[in-house]
């Protein structure tokens, strides 16, 4: 008897979770990835990569990021310049918001 559709879904979800944990462990050891966010939407993860130049960025993307566990597709965005860059967010009750009150 073939598995029920929801059994297949659970197996796929379990496999994706294993890939996600392996990806998270791999990212932790890469100094070029200075931050990484788990996201909802089109991408599962959004890493912030810092490279010496475009050649270093291309090499890192093609030879390191593409080989990380669970990578099935990849999209890059190159920042040209910061327009407004926050170093903290003024949330009510946070230490940074108390200073301005």
């Amino acid at each position: 008897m073939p598995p029920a559709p929801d059994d297949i879904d659970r197996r796929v979800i379990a496999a994706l979770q294993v890939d996600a944990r392996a990806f998270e462990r791999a990212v932790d050891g890469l100094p070029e990835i200075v931050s990484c966010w788990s996201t909802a939407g089109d991408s599962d993860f959004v890493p912030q990569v810092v490279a010496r130049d475009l050649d270093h960025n291309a090499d890192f993307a093609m030879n390191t990021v593409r080989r990380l566990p669970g990578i099935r597709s990849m999209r890059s965005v190159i920042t040209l310049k910061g327009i407004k860059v926050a170093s903290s967010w003024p949330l009510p009750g946070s230490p940074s918001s108390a200073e301005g009150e």
Side-chain angles (χ1 to χ4, degrees), residues 21-95:
R21 286 193 295 273
F23 175 84
E24 290 167 5
R25 285 191 300 274
V27 162
D28 196 41
L30 297 171
E32 291 91 346
I33 298 180
V34 295
S35 300
C36 187
W37 297 272
S38 175
T39 63
D42 293 339
S43 301
D44 295 321
F45 295 97
V46 177
Q48 180 181 16
V49 175
V50 176
R52 290 184 302 276
D53 54 33
L54 288 176
D55 288 336
H56 179 224
N57 186 65
D59 179 65
F60 182 71
M62 299 302 290
N63 297 311
T64 302
V65 175
R66 281 189 187 256
R67 295 184 175 143
L68 291 175
I71 295 295
R72 286 164 185 72
S73 67
M74 189 174 81
R75 182 174 73 98
S76 295
V77 175
I78 305 284
T79 302
L80 299 176
K81 72 176 186 174
I83 305 299
K84 181 177 180 180
V85 181
S87 59
S88 66
W89 290 268
L91 300 175
S94 69

Side-chain angles (χ1 to χ4, degrees), residues 10-21:
R10 277 183 266 161
R11 286 186 207 145
V12 169
I13 289 168
L16 292 175
Q17 289 171 341
V18 168
D19 281 351
R21 286 193 295 273

